[in-house]
Amino acid sequence: MTKKLKKALTFFDHHVSCISRRVHRVLSSIPQLQFVLFGLAMVIVGYIVYTGSSPGNINVLAIIMIYSMVALGLNLLLGYGGLISLSTAPVMGLAAHGMRILVVGEQFGQVNYFLAIVIVLVLSVFMGLLIGLLSLKMEGIYLAIATLFFGYIIAELAGAFELFSYGQSARMGAITFFGDTSLSWIHDIWTLYLIVVATVTLVVIGLYNILKSPTGRAFMAISRSQHAALAMGISVRRYRFLAFVISTVVAAIGGILYVTFRQRTGAFDSRWNLELSLILLAIVVVGGLKSFFGMFLGAMIIIGIPEFYFERIEAFIINRGWFGESFRMLGFSDVFAGLMIVLAILFYPRGAIMIFYTLKAKLIALKQRKAGRDVSIDVE
Amino acid sequence: MYFGGLKAVDDLSFTIEKNQIVGLIGPNGAGKTTVFNCVTQFYKNYEGRVLYSTEDGEALDLRTIDVTKIVRLGIARTFQNLELIPDATVIDNVLIGAAQDVKTNLFDHLVRTPRTRQQNRELRERAIEILEFLNIALLKDMYVLGLPYGVKKKVEIARALIANPKLMILDEPAAGLNEQETQELETLIRKIRDDYGITVLLIEHDMRFVMNLCDIVCAINFGKLLAVDKPAAIQKNPLVQEAYLGKED
């Protein structure tokens, strides 16, 4: 009986390793496939959540996907170009409000949904150039402060004009595709989620391609060794502009996705504020520079786990009446989220994505030890 | 060339012929690297002229050229303090040198058009060829961060080589290398001159290395020219001896 089991196990083990080797080979020849697989996984996870006991959590999943994508755009700036921006959230907000203005059309008349996307993206390119202008004269903390106030200016202007509904959140309403198909948030949340996953996957593949191309190398060159970049004919100015334009466009896509999914624009002072810019920055730092999966992990740690688990635990304890009233004031989930960020940075200063590398190294060590033991048995 | 009130290079003039290996020597602070930075246009506000003979035999004043365009004229350089990307692989670092040969645009890179893939393949092949020439092809997928100093130096040379230069400017290529590595570097630089037909201008403190390798040596001190001559003559030159050893009272 045990012999049979052992045989079956070796048979199984052999086939699993064969398959995994083949998967590995395909993945290393077409690395873009990993993002498609990730997208499919997110569709499955989303479906489980959507049909499960608390379908509202699909909102959190969509937001995490959008933030991961925007964080990857920021990563291109920070991890590759060595530049920093604290105006990501206002840019997202501006794109969201821009979409509403164009699609609802109270002021300038209605525009087709896709045409509105094109207009918003073109405008975001100009915005990126404008922010990029700051980076020609500044670096590091100075650039951070300059972009911070650029973001403030955007938010203040949005608050001053009625056009942006005085910076407050406004309803966009159901989105009309191709004239007749309209998607309302209440009924078609699953379709909207699929749109988010598909767009994020495509944008991430595009960013991955850029980062692995000569353009990506040039970004690294301008941040790691400016002198070498100049001597080799890479214009630091040009690539700084380019880095800001790309990351601003990605942030705008994030804003468009948000408004498409939620069908509300979100307010400048409660959603598109400095806190979100800093959270996006934290996702980049906690998740690990230079990897999309790192961004996703970072978003999970900073937004996902507190939303999914800590708040539930908090509600549970409050309902039981443990620790009294002071517990309600403490804000358990925020405290734990902060603690987790500190722990992640403490143990994985190069990003939470390093967890996988550590696990892989452990696995290999384990396998080798096992192999070593097998050999010694053979000798006996 | 002045830095504030300090005169770093003063009335210096020398000529480099094609296919020569020229050494620039001088005590610390003599202004050697400043000369290099003037030639490669990192510094622009110097007095005087840096002339470069183009392919059609015209004398081109390099001051009119932007620092990022210098490499297109066929002038590539290395740096005294290594200027590499630590968190990129050896081959990616080398490919930085091929930036001028990248003919594809951002859109090509975004969607990975066949043109991009074709070009990436070609550039990679060229990079591997150069890495093989420098005997470090095995390390091509290693990150630069943990590599030994000698290899990093070679990566810098490879990055300059892939730019297809006619003039290669090496800032202290042998600094920090052991004796064996220095000897290997000597044969390599000779081969670079003979096989690739590249003129070499280098700064170096290792006198044996300079005297063995260079056709012409140019000695400077306090930004002033001391002598330009064959290595043997430079060794006997009293001015050079004084600059290095001091004057006998």
Side-chain angles (χ1 to χ4, degrees):
Chain A
M1 180 64 206
T2 38
K3 227 176 194 176
K4 236 179 192 172
L5 194 72
K6 219 174 184 178
K7 209 172 171 187
L9 270 179
T10 16
F11 180 77
F12 182 71
D13 196 45
H14 173 73
H15 277 262
V16 164
S17 68
C18 262
I19 290 167
S20 77
R21 216 175 297 144
R22 203 164 295 168
V23 167
H24 195 79
R25 206 181 306 147
V26 172
L27 273 183
S28 56
S29 62
I30 317 170
Q32 286 81 356
L33 218 58
Q34 59 185 322
F35 303 115
V36 177
L37 288 178
F38 176 77
L40 289 177
M42 282 315 284
V43 168
I44 294 167
V45 171
Y47 192 74
I48 292 168
V49 169
Y50 180 60
T51 53
S53 57
S54 48
N57 273 344
I58 203 166
N59 284 328
V60 184
L61 272 185
I63 296 292
I64 286 175
M65 291 288 284
I66 293 171
Y67 284 2
S68 308
M69 179 191 77
V70 175
L72 187 66
L74 198 61
N75 205 335
L76 182 144
L77 208 61
L78 193 70
Y80 283 79
L83 301 161
I84 195 166
S85 171
L86 286 176
S87 55
T88 324
V91 167
M92 287 176 79
L94 216 53
H97 278 263
M99 283 303 285
R100 188 194 73 86
I101 291 166
L102 289 169
V103 171
V104 176
E106 292 152 335
Q107 289 90 359
F108 305 118
Q110 257 179 323
V111 172
N112 176 292
Y113 177 76
F114 294 101
L115 184 63
I117 289 180
V118 172
I119 294 172
V120 168
L121 288 185
V122 168
L123 288 176
S124 71
V125 168
F126 284 109
M127 184 98 83
L129 288 175
L130 211 61
I131 306 173
L133 212 58
L134 296 171
S135 75
L136 296 188
K137 291 280 173 202
M138 281 173 267
E139 267 172 8
I141 197 80
Y142 305 101
L143 185 61
I145 294 166
T147 52
L148 167 69
F149 282 97
F150 190 85
Y152 265 129
I153 293 169
I154 293 178
E156 285 301 314
L157 285 180
F161 291 112
E162 196 191 355
L163 188 62
F164 295 99
S165 309
Y166 293 111
Q168 291 307 304
S169 183
R171 275 196 62 79
M172 174 152 106
I175 290 155
T176 314
F177 284 121
F178 308 113
D180 48 24
T181 324
S182 72
L183 292 173
S184 91
W185 188 56
I186 309 293
H187 297 107
D188 304 297
I189 195 161
W190 175 243
T191 317
L192 288 166
Y193 177 76
L194 290 182
I195 290 171
V196 168
V197 172
T199 316
V200 168
T201 308
L202 281 178
V203 171
V204 166
I205 288 174
L207 281 174
Y208 179 85
N209 285 344
I210 288 178
L211 292 176
K212 293 289 168 201
S213 75
T215 309
R217 277 202 297 271
F219 284 142
M220 286 180 94
I222 61 162
S223 62
R224 270 50 159 200
S225 57
Q226 243 185 61
H227 290 298
L230 288 174
M232 291 307 159
I234 294 167
S235 160
V236 173
R237 271 157 186 257
R238 199 184 139 204
Y239 280 98
R240 282 195 172 174
F241 269 127
L242 200 59
F244 269 105
V245 167
I246 293 174
S247 94
T248 310
V249 167
V250 173
I253 294 173
I256 293 169
L257 271 184
Y258 179 87
V259 80
T260 306
F261 182 73
R262 298 285 302 185
Q263 304 192 341
R264 293 188 73 85
T265 55
F268 271 96
D269 48 3
S270 63
R271 179 164 284 275
W272 311 120
N273 51 12
L274 175 63
E275 193 184 333
L276 180 60
S277 292
L278 289 174
I279 282 177
L280 288 167
L281 211 59
I283 290 175
V284 175
V285 174
V286 170
L289 298 174
K290 303 199 297 180
S291 136
F292 170 71
F293 295 114
M295 295 306 94
F296 183 73
L297 212 60
M300 263 325 218
I301 290 172
I302 292 175
I303 304 167
I305 295 175
E307 288 263 353
F308 288 141
Y309 297 106
F310 292 166
E311 287 195 353
R312 219 174 282 178
I313 296 171
E314 188 178 358
F316 179 78
I317 294 175
I318 288 172
N319 283 343
R320 289 293 168 94
W322 294 345
F323 307 114
E325 186 59 26
S326 57
F327 184 81
R328 192 194 294 270
M329 306 293 287
L330 179 68
F332 171 85
S333 67
D334 288 341
V335 171
F336 261 75
L339 206 64
M340 226 164 60
I341 293 168
V342 170
L343 286 179
I345 292 177
L346 205 62
F347 288 107
Y348 294 95
R350 286 164 65 204
I353 192 71
M354 287 294 157
I355 291 171
F356 291 113
Y357 292 99
T358 324
L359 284 180
K360 205 173 165 188
K362 285 250 167 70
L363 201 73
I364 289 169
L366 202 76
K367 260 188 186 165
Q368 273 171 349
R369 221 166 63 199
K370 210 172 134 198
R373 203 180 292 148
D374 284 351
V375 168
S376 66
I377 288 166
D378 282 350
V379 170
E380 278 169 23
Chain B
M1 178 74 210
Y2 290 88
F3 292 114
L6 181 79
K7 204 179 242 182
V9 178
D10 178 17
D11 200 18
L12 176 70
S13 173
F14 63 98
T15 317
I16 298 166
E17 300 287 333
K18 208 171 167 185
N19 273 345
Q20 271 182 340
I21 300 177
V22 179
L24 186 63
I25 62 168
N28 286 327
K32 305 180 294 292
T33 302
T34 309
V35 172
F36 276 17
N37 283 337
C38 289
V39 173
T40 48
Q41 299 304 310
F42 274 82
Y43 301 149
K44 284 264 182 207
N45 51 346
Y46 54 87
E47 288 165 21
R49 285 189 302 169
V50 180
L51 295 177
Y52 179 72
S53 164
T54 56
E55 269 182 2
D56 11 302
E58 266 177 82
L60 186 69
D61 188 357
L62 287 185
R63 197 206 300 266
T64 57
I65 312 290
D66 188 69
V67 58
T68 55
K69 302 283 191 304
I70 287 290
V71 69
R72 280 184 207 180
L73 294 174
I75 303 177
R77 68 172 288 182
T78 67
F79 294 87
Q80 187 177 354
N81 310 314
L82 296 171
E83 291 274 349
L84 294 170
I85 305 173
D87 51 344
T89 56
V90 167
I91 196 157
D92 277 337
N93 266 287
V94 174
L95 285 172
I96 291 286
Q100 51 158 351
D101 290 332
V102 173
K103 297 285 185 285
T104 46
N105 56 29
L106 184 66
F107 180 75
D108 286 324
H109 298 163
L110 180 69
V111 293
R112 254 171 82 81
T113 52
R115 211 152 65 97
T116 323
R117 266 176 275 176
Q118 169 73 17
Q119 183 190 262
N120 285 354
R121 216 174 304 127
E122 281 169 13
L123 288 180
R124 268 185 84 85
E125 272 167 20
R126 219 168 91 201
I128 290 172
E129 218 170 86
I130 285 168
L131 288 173
E132 271 166 2
F133 171 73
L134 295 171
N135 291 327
I136 47 171
L138 276 176
L139 303 172
K140 68 181 191 321
D141 292 321
M142 300 273 277
Y143 284 94
V144 166
L145 189 66
L147 290 178
Y149 197 70
V151 177
K152 287 183 187 169
K153 286 251 160 190
K154 277 187 175 177
V155 175
E156 278 237 331
I157 293 175
R159 187 179 60 193
L161 264 181
I162 204 174
N164 276 334
K166 294 191 200 72
L167 170 65
M168 201 148 133
I169 299 183
L170 307 171
D171 201 344
E172 302 205 12
L177 301 187
N178 63 32
E179 206 161 318
Q180 191 194 346
E181 286 171 324
T182 311
Q183 263 170 19
E184 194 196 346
L185 183 71
E186 206 181 299
T187 29
L188 270 179
I189 293 178
R190 235 180 236 125
K191 260 167 105 182
I192 286 171
R193 194 254 317 256
D194 298 336
D195 296 1
Y196 289 81
I198 294 171
T199 314
V200 179
L201 169 63
L202 57 90
I203 291 177
E204 190 45 65
H205 281 295
D206 185 336
M207 281 308 142
R208 197 157 57 158
F209 175 81
V210 173
M211 297 305 166
N212 280 341
L213 180 64
C214 296
D215 303 315
I216 298 285
V217 175
C218 171
I220 64 175
N221 196 16
F222 296 117
K224 282 197 169 73
L225 183 71
L226 294 180
V228 184
D229 217 329
K230 295 229 156 56
I234 284 284
Q235 277 172 316
K236 293 199 189 82
N237 191 307
L239 279 172
V240 178
Q241 285 175 353
E242 189 193 315
Y244 273 94
L245 303 170
K247 208 171 182 172
E248 272 180 65
D249 288 318

